[in-house]
Amino acid sequence: MSSTGPAPCSRSWSISEDSLRRYVHFASESCIQELLSASDSNRIGNVGNDGWKILTDLDNGVEISKRRSGSFHTFRSRWLLRSVSPQQFITVANAIDAAKQWEPDLVEARYIKDLEDNLSIIRLRFGENSKPLFRNREFIVYERRETMEDGTLVVAVASLPKEIAAGLHPKQNNAIRGLLLQSGWVVEKLEDDSCMVTYVVQLDPAGWLPKCFVNRLNTKLVMIIENLKKLAQGCPADGDK
């Protein structure tokens, strides 16, 4: 996540719901393709020079990788979740549950608009008691959920452009409008009701994000996936009511 910080003057675009739907559908489709590409790279039989550098490869099936393009860093975590079905994990793979893992002091998480059955606009706001990285920051993001032809589940989450976000929901009080460049999950079904989860987050350390936090992000990603796994294990398995 990064933030443009307060601006001397703010701009907002008034946009029709149809135009908003078309824009978000196009932007989220691009995000989905990036997520699928990240989940498919550097596998056996698909090894290439795609820029991913493995930072952590743990014995419990966790892999953390990083790719850099200019000032932008993209981090990827992969985790083999045994005895957790894709349907169980996908219930916790969403913008709100992930935001709570990044910072528990999430004081508001509200659906602003449903554009389609699987495409929504969400406001996330962190409070004054949050850690400095998130204190008084808010994010206006889209969330799109798709099932691919092979059954792979994909959730794409990213910020709307600041002008569109300002038109939908003007910034309030002392809140700082943050920017989540790209994030999401790819959840693939394996045998024995297990799944492979890929979680991707793109950051801009040249903005407000401290470099020391970027260096610790691999540990944070491990914690986020582990916490979401625990939440998923508490969800009903396929066929359970």
Side-chain angles (χ1 to χ4, degrees):
M1 296 179 181
S2 66
S3 174
T4 56
C9 61
S10 60
R11 295 182 299 165
S12 64
W13 293 346
S14 178
I15 185 171
S16 69
E17 185 162 330
D18 186 58
S19 295
L20 176 64
R21 183 183 297 106
R22 288 200 302 269
Y23 170 81
V24 176
H25 196 278
F26 175 80
S28 59
E29 183 64 32
S30 176
C31 185
I32 285 174
Q33 295 306 315
E34 289 289 337
L35 293 172
L36 290 171
S37 176
S39 72
D40 195 48
S41 64
N42 286 349
R43 296 189 180 184
I44 297 176
N46 190 33
V47 177
N49 184 21
D50 56 6
W52 288 106
K53 178 182 178 181
I54 296 178
L55 304 177
T56 305
D57 194 357
L58 304 178
D59 294 336
N60 61 352
V62 181
E63 176 195 291
I64 307 294
S65 306
K66 181 178 75 170
R67 182 172 65 185
R68 181 169 183 173
S69 176
S71 64
F72 294 99
H73 289 245
T74 305
F75 286 82
R76 177 186 68 189
S77 63
R78 283 182 177 147
W79 202 320
L80 174 61
L81 299 183
R82 300 192 183 278
S83 301
V84 176
S85 71
Q87 288 72 25
Q88 284 177 284
F89 189 84
I90 205 67
T91 60
V92 300
N94 58 74
I96 294 175
D97 280 325
K100 292 177 181 177
Q101 300 306 321
W102 283 100
E103 170 53 57
D105 188 36
L106 180 66
V107 297
E108 183 177 348
R110 181 165 60 90
Y111 283 82
I112 297 176
K113 188 181 290 290
D114 291 326
L115 299 175
E116 296 175 358
D117 290 342
N118 64 337
L119 184 60
S120 301
I121 307 298
I122 303 170
R123 182 188 185 219
L124 305 169
R125 183 169 67 89
F126 298 93
E128 294 183 356
N129 296 322
S130 298
K131 297 180 180 65
L133 282 172
F134 293 95
R135 187 171 299 150
N136 292 327
R137 281 183 164 80
E138 67 174 14
F139 299 83
I140 307 298
V141 302
Y142 66 74
E143 178 184 278
R144 179 175 171 185
R145 310 172 75 85
E146 289 287 351
T147 302
M148 303 293 105
E149 291 183 357
D150 63 356
T152 297
L153 305 174
V154 185
V155 181
V157 179
S159 288
L160 295 178
K162 61 181 180 179
E163 296 86 358
I164 295 178
L168 281 175
H169 198 290
K171 186 170 68 69
Q172 298 177 350
N173 301 326
N174 62 340
I176 301 171
R177 185 60 55 84
L179 183 64
L180 175 60
L181 299 174
Q182 180 189 86
S183 72
W185 295 262
V186 177
V187 185
E188 302 165 83
K189 180 177 176 57
L190 303 177
E191 296 179 353
D192 301 324
D193 281 330
S194 299
C195 62
M196 176 68 73
V197 175
T198 302
Y199 178 44
V200 176
V201 181
Q202 188 179 64
L203 304 163
D204 180 11
W208 65 274
L209 192 73
K211 186 176 181 180
C212 62
F213 180 79
V214 175
N215 294 337
R216 297 198 308 267
L217 189 61
N218 56 339
T219 302
K220 186 68 174 179
L221 288 174
V222 171
M223 294 172 58
I224 287 174
I225 293 293
E226 178 65 23
N227 290 339
L228 291 177
K229 174 187 176 182
K230 293 177 181 177
L231 290 175
Q233 288 173 329
C235 297
D238 297 348
D240 293 347
K241 299 296 183 182

